[in-house]
Amino acid sequence: MRLLHIVRQRIAETEHFGRRLGMSFVGVFLCGASVACFSKAAFGVDPFTSLAMGLWRVSGFAYNTVYIVINVIMLLAVAVVARHRLGVATLFTVFVTGSVAQLGMGILDALMPVVSWQIRFVLLLIGVIVLCFSSSLYYVADLGVSGYDAIALTIAERTVIPFRYCRIGTDIFCVGVGFLCGTSIGLGTLITAFFMGPLIDFFTKVFSEPFLYERSKGTKVIQAIETVEVIEVSTEERS
């Protein structure tokens, strides 16, 4: 199965670049929209923001400065150990996510100046689902991810630990540090900390990978994958 996965990945890199680019942009765009939903729901921030806010509280520096420094440190670390995780989508996360989030918050505030707790809860659920779906899109597109996202992906890639557990671990770490530094932990923070990894994994299997690796009739994609499958079956039978 390892060989088949590698072939599929290489085929996607050459045959579906436009699709991968679109998945990356849509994923980052939806990620910004989910941040707007979290903000309007006011049930707590996501794990990474929890970490950033906690360090901001104890550092004495401006929040924007702390946020940038944390991201730069993570990007430098990823550049050393997993440079292939950085790409055009990494730039999308820097320049698109914040702008979309700010626009989305403005739209939600204009449409819903006052919201009940029921509406807030619905917005929270929408935010969690959209965030996990969007993350799955640009992870599978493999044109680069944010520094924080790259950490769990790299751990999963270099160990036998499934991604969903790696993500839960990094999220809980961020929430814990944020809490110790004074960040308020809400329902949204706990949900994202414990369920983002499994939900991203779910969307990856049921949508993102099938969408990217969709077989086109009459192309060499089918032939290449079928050839590898035959080789793998033969190898397994011999062993």
Side-chain angles (χ1 to χ4, degrees), residues 185-206:
I185 306 302
L187 178 62
T189 309
L190 296 176
I191 290 177
T192 52
F194 286 97
F195 294 102
M196 267 195 72
L199 280 174
I200 292 173
D201 200 41
F202 170 78
F203 284 123
T204 295
K205 292 176 180 177
V206 301

Side-chain angles (χ1 to χ4, degrees), residues 89-160:
T90 306
L91 298 178
F92 288 165
T93 63
V94 175
F95 297 105
V96 176
T97 305
S99 300
V100 173
Q102 184 173 351
L103 176 63
M105 287 186 284
I107 293 174
L108 289 177
D109 286 339
L111 294 176
M112 297 180 288
V114 180
V115 292
S116 63
W117 71 266
Q118 293 93 334
I119 298 298
R120 289 170 55 208
F121 186 74
V122 171
L123 286 171
L124 171 62
L125 293 180
I126 292 174
V128 171
I129 293 172
V130 172
L131 178 59
C132 295
F133 177 71
S134 64
S135 297
S136 171
L137 282 179
Y138 88 97
Y139 286 0
V140 173
D142 198 24
L143 288 179
V145 296
S146 68
Y148 177 64
D149 291 329
I151 294 175
L153 288 168
T154 302
I155 295 173
E157 183 179 64
R158 300 196 174 200
T159 67
V160 296

Side-chain angles (χ1 to χ4, degrees), residues 62-77:
Y63 176 76
N64 189 49
T65 301
V66 174
Y67 189 87
I68 291 174
V69 169
I70 295 173
N71 275 280
V72 168
I73 292 174
M74 289 184 174
L75 288 174
L76 289 175

